[in-house]
Amino acid sequence: MRKLYSVPLAALATGAAGLAYSAGYEVRSFRLRRVEVPVLPAGAKPLRVLHVSDIHMVTGQRKKQRWLRSLAGLRPDLVVNTGDNLSDPLGVPATLDALGPLMEFPGAYVFGSNDYYGPARKSPTRYLKALANGNHGLNNADGTGRAGITGAVHNPWEKLRDGFDAAGWLDLTNARGRLSLAGLDIEFTGIDDPHIRRDRYAAVAGGPSADADLSIGVVHAPYLRSLDAFTADGYPLILAGHTHGGQLCVPFYGALVTNCDLDAKRVKGLSTHRAGGKLAHLHVSAGCGTNRYTPVRFACPPEATLLTLTPRSR
């Protein structure tokens, strides 16, 4: 009789231990990643860019707030926030407080769907279903859009925007902007979140300006249509978030899903993208938060990334 139950009980114990680890430890095990990206003109001094994303702030997440505030000690030249700051309609004050020290540095931002709308309770299996049928967010596999969002809680994103704008951060919501940093003229082109079909690339198309030292594309969700547009237009660097790095990953294998049509091999970190005969560097942040209803991470710690931009080799 003992042998009959030993395997199920062992599996149950292993599952419980994994859940305790992912919800009790890893989800709060914040990390800083560092990467170098060769995109600057020859002879330029390195530029340090702090990429933060998918904070998904919930009131009371004090450890996350302290960690975010501590990142100001890196003294980056630039902060880029790629959205999904909120997971609680009451989370704006905590978010602005946590990012307050970082807002003393030059910055730029786009929003994600969770900045506009509060999360809903959904089965985690929806991500696997989306992988199978190709329908992610409001995007159908045949290129059509689903019906708009109904019945969702509306987050007070305007207050978040006002706080960022007051700090001088560039709002890249289907918009362009420029900053002078370390003697360089840096141009930014951003689009709103493709996950909920708010992206309007046609409004900002045209590619990098000839007089910019560096042009960066910024988007929340790295859908291929957005990556293709930025890359084909000649942007050498694209920054995105949204994927959570897969959030629940398989050790020694990696992510199963990306929550968009990006392949799992590029779910986080630095990679490249090709389109229109051109090549761009792509950095996807795994983010430092989770949806409030799925507060777990496994084999995918929460993170921010310090990108050191260096001169191109040729």
Side-chain angles (χ1 to χ4, degrees):
M1 183 66 70
R2 289 179 182 174
K3 291 184 178 180
L4 179 65
Y5 289 104
S6 62
V7 173
L9 289 176
L12 183 63
T14 300
L19 180 62
Y21 168 81
S22 60
Y25 173 74
E26 185 167 323
V27 76
R28 299 178 183 84
S29 180
F30 301 104
R31 313 288 175 86
L32 177 71
R33 297 177 59 252
R34 298 173 185 263
V35 298
E36 290 190 3
V37 193
V39 290
L40 295 181
K45 294 182 179 179
L47 191 71
R48 289 154 44 92
V49 179
L50 180 66
H51 183 185
V52 296
S53 194
D54 296 272
I55 295 169
H56 289 282
M57 186 67 75
V58 175
T59 302
Q61 293 181 327
R62 294 184 179 84
K63 184 173 182 179
K64 182 191 294 182
Q65 294 171 38
R66 290 194 299 271
W67 177 74
L68 286 167
R69 285 195 290 267
S70 75
L71 295 176
L74 298 169
R75 303 206 60 81
D77 299 298
L78 170 70
V79 179
V80 177
N81 181 324
T82 49
D84 270 10
N85 296 274
L86 303 176
S87 197
D88 179 355
L90 303 178
V92 172
T95 303
L96 292 176
D97 178 70
L99 293 175
L102 289 175
M103 288 192 288
E104 295 180 7
F105 301 95
Y109 70 93
V110 293
F111 283 149
S113 60
N114 282 271
D115 293 308
Y116 299 115
Y117 303 104
R121 295 182 185 274
K122 297 179 182 178
S123 170
T125 60
R126 72 187 188 277
Y127 297 111
L128 295 175
K129 292 178 181 178
L131 179 65
N133 61 31
N135 296 336
H136 305 277
L138 300 186
N139 301 271
N140 286 341
D142 61 5
T144 62
R146 298 179 184 175
I149 296 173
T150 58
V153 173
H154 284 253
N155 282 336
W157 62 271
E158 298 92 344
K159 294 181 179 178
L160 196 63
R161 175 202 61 196
D162 292 347
F164 291 168
D165 290 353
W169 280 13
L170 296 178
D171 182 350
L172 300 177
T173 307
N174 297 318
R176 290 176 176 254
R178 296 176 84 142
L179 290 172
S180 179
L181 302 169
L184 297 173
D185 187 353
I186 309 298
E187 178 181 47
F188 303 87
T189 300
I191 51 177
D192 210 347
D193 191 6
H195 193 60
I196 51 175
R197 302 190 72 86
R198 293 176 66 116
D199 51 314
R200 302 291 183 268
Y201 191 82
V204 295
S209 299
D211 59 343
D213 293 308
L214 173 66
S215 295
I216 302 174
V218 184
V219 61
H220 174 64
Y223 278 82
L224 295 180
R225 68 175 183 271
S226 302
L227 304 183
D228 287 349
F230 278 125
T231 302
D233 258 355
Y235 288 86
L237 176 61
I238 307 168
L239 303 180
H242 176 71
T243 66
H244 296 191
Q247 190 165 328
L248 298 175
C249 297
V250 178
F252 308 110
Y253 177 83
L256 298 176
V257 297
T258 65
N259 198 20
C260 63
D261 59 359
L262 183 71
D263 56 280
K265 290 182 179 180
R266 297 185 291 168
V267 70
K268 65 179 178 179
L270 187 65
S271 62
T272 57
H273 188 77
R274 293 182 181 274
K278 298 179 181 178
L279 177 72
H281 293 278
L282 168 66
H283 184 264
V284 179
S285 172
C288 62
T290 67
N291 181 305
R292 68 183 301 175
Y293 297 121
T294 52
V296 292
R297 279 182 175 256
F298 191 77
C300 186
E303 66 179 40
T305 305
L306 186 66
L307 297 96
T308 299
L309 309 187
T310 59
R312 295 182 292 268
S313 57
R314 56 185 176 88

